[in-house]
Amino acid sequence: MITSEDLKTAVRSGLISEAQATGLTALADQRMQEAAGLTPSEEPFQLFRGFNEIFIVIGLSILFAGWTGVLAAILTAEGLPGTLSSLAGVALTLAGLYGVQRYFTLTRRMVAPSIALAVMFGLSFLTLGGILGEALDLPFGLLKPLTFATAAVGMMVHYRIFRVPFDALLIGGAVFTTVWTWLAHRNMVPDDAFALLHFSSSGLPALLSMAFGLGCFALAMRFDLSDPRRISTRAATGFWLHVLAAPAIINPLALRLLSYDHSLPLLAILCLLALVALVIDRRSFLVSGAAYAVGIVFALFDSPMLVILGMGFGLVFLGAQWDRLRGALLRALPEFPGKSRLPPYGQRI
């Protein structure tokens, strides 16, 4: 019997396409509709497949650092004008990264090296944005949004070519930072790193956080609903978007309710987050939000350990009973748009 893991392996090895894998799983789902239940599936998550990938990542990191240093020394020694020298260096770096990424991502289908190279591409695009801003003689307030906008556009192109799911995290972060720094230049939001990581509970920063979170969530669900069996890179892309969405959604709500100096509103928000995570079968959505909530609790409460204890107990209980609770919840809910395209939930355990 061919399992979902077999199909994922076949896709990664290039034996079948993602569209073919999705079609096969859809056919299998139809044949299992009358069955009493479906085997509950774990949420796919993979950062590396064996220590060899970690070994390669270490080598790539050292190679990237060495290449950057040597290239800077060579271009400086040639006496090229600053902007021209920098552009030449970035162009050579991007060209080299492209060739290496094609090998490790498209040919070898390696996970960890693909993520590491995506980060290197992101850093290179940030550098390119800064060079372009200086060449245009932009003020510092506009230099920052141009830098991050360049990175966002560059990583969108990168995702279009290589389909590395981790790109979603980089693109989302770059898009948000672009908007934030541009608004900061207009004196509409605070212009400091602390404010960027810890939004206020009201006003434009709160609206920006909520809009960004809901946008990431909607896009993540679009990816998820197109692949309910979580086989293709679309579902893996949705995973990283959920990681972005939860903290952005929970932040303004939590800070607003915690202004009353009580932890119960935060626990209520986390319970609601848990219900949503159960419905969509995304532990990453809940864990990301809970991790951010823990940071808020430590920041705002003098004695947070009782709250942390309750949150930890809740997460352990959910992890142990996830499939049972999810099945009961979805069977109790009425039909709603997209319910039939969610991951299977029929098994009674």
Side-chain angles (χ1 to χ4, degrees):
M1 179 178 177
I2 297 178
T3 65
S4 60
E5 187 61 34
D6 293 329
L7 288 175
K8 284 188 283 187
T9 302
V11 170
R12 286 194 297 262
S13 63
L15 292 176
I16 61 175
S17 67
E18 291 180 0
Q20 290 171 327
T22 302
L24 286 172
T25 53
L27 178 62
D29 286 341
Q30 289 179 0
R31 296 185 62 187
M32 298 170 70
Q33 293 256 330
E34 296 180 359
L38 298 169
T39 303
S41 59
E42 298 291 334
E43 182 174 359
F45 176 70
Q46 195 172 48
L47 284 177
F48 61 92
R49 299 202 308 266
F51 192 75
N52 184 47
E53 291 199 359
I54 302 299
F55 183 79
I56 292 173
V57 167
I58 294 172
L60 286 172
S61 302
I62 296 173
L63 177 62
F64 182 71
W67 164 265
T68 303
V70 171
L71 186 63
I74 292 175
L75 293 175
T76 302
E78 291 296 324
L80 294 174
T83 300
L84 183 59
S85 173
S86 300
L87 285 174
V90 173
L92 287 172
T93 301
L94 289 173
L97 287 173
Y98 176 82
V100 176
Q101 183 111 52
R102 281 192 63 88
Y103 175 72
F104 284 112
T105 301
L106 301 182
T107 302
R108 295 290 301 276
R109 305 280 178 175
M110 289 186 166
V111 179
S114 296
I115 293 175
L117 288 165
V119 172
M120 294 173 194
F121 261 103
L123 293 173
S124 299
F125 284 125
L126 281 173
T127 303
L128 177 61
I131 295 170
L132 294 175
E134 291 181 356
L136 295 173
D137 199 23
L138 294 178
F140 185 69
L142 288 177
L143 177 63
K144 289 190 289 185
L146 176 63
T147 298
F148 288 106
T150 304
V153 173
M155 292 313 298
M156 288 177 189
V157 175
H158 183 272
Y159 180 78
R160 187 75 175 173
I161 297 172
F162 298 107
R163 299 290 178 180
V164 177
F166 189 75
D167 285 351
L169 188 71
L170 301 179
I171 294 169
V175 168
F176 181 85
T177 311
T178 299
V179 176
W180 181 276
T181 52
W182 183 78
L183 292 174
H185 174 68
R186 301 287 299 274
N187 295 319
M188 300 173 70
V189 296
D191 184 16
D192 61 85
F194 180 76
L196 180 61
L197 297 174
H198 190 176
F199 313 113
S200 68
S201 61
S202 61
L204 184 58
L207 291 176
L208 178 60
S209 175
M210 182 63 70
F212 175 74
L214 292 176
C216 287
F217 180 78
L219 187 57
M221 290 307 303
R222 181 177 179 181
F223 281 113
D224 281 352
L225 293 177
S226 68
D227 181 20
R229 298 290 291 187
R230 309 278 168 82
I231 292 176
S232 71
T233 56
R234 294 181 62 81
T237 302
F239 172 94
W240 292 109
L241 286 170
H242 282 301
V243 170
L244 275 176
I249 292 173
I250 199 176
N251 186 85
L253 295 175
L255 291 179
R256 182 66 174 175
L257 294 175
L258 287 176
S259 63
Y260 299 105
D261 296 326
H262 205 288
S263 59
L264 286 180
L266 177 60
L267 294 177
I269 292 175
L270 288 177
C271 288
L272 178 60
L273 209 68
L275 291 176
V276 174
L278 281 169
V279 170
I280 64 176
D281 197 23
R282 276 300 188 187
R283 296 165 182 82
S284 56
F285 182 73
L286 176 59
V287 169
S288 177
Y292 188 81
V294 168
I296 292 178
V297 169
F298 273 108
L300 298 183
F301 289 94
D302 294 329
S303 301
M305 300 317 297
L306 187 60
V307 180
I308 300 301
L309 178 65
M311 291 170 58
F313 175 80
L315 288 176
V316 171
F317 176 74
L318 280 173
Q321 300 294 324
W322 185 272
D323 295 295
R324 184 191 298 273
L325 293 172
R326 181 170 184 268
L329 175 62
L330 282 171
R331 283 191 295 270
L333 289 175
E335 290 296 321
F336 56 85
K339 185 177 181 180
S340 61
R341 298 165 61 193
L342 290 170
Y345 58 89
Q347 176 125 352
R348 300 174 185 271
I349 306 174

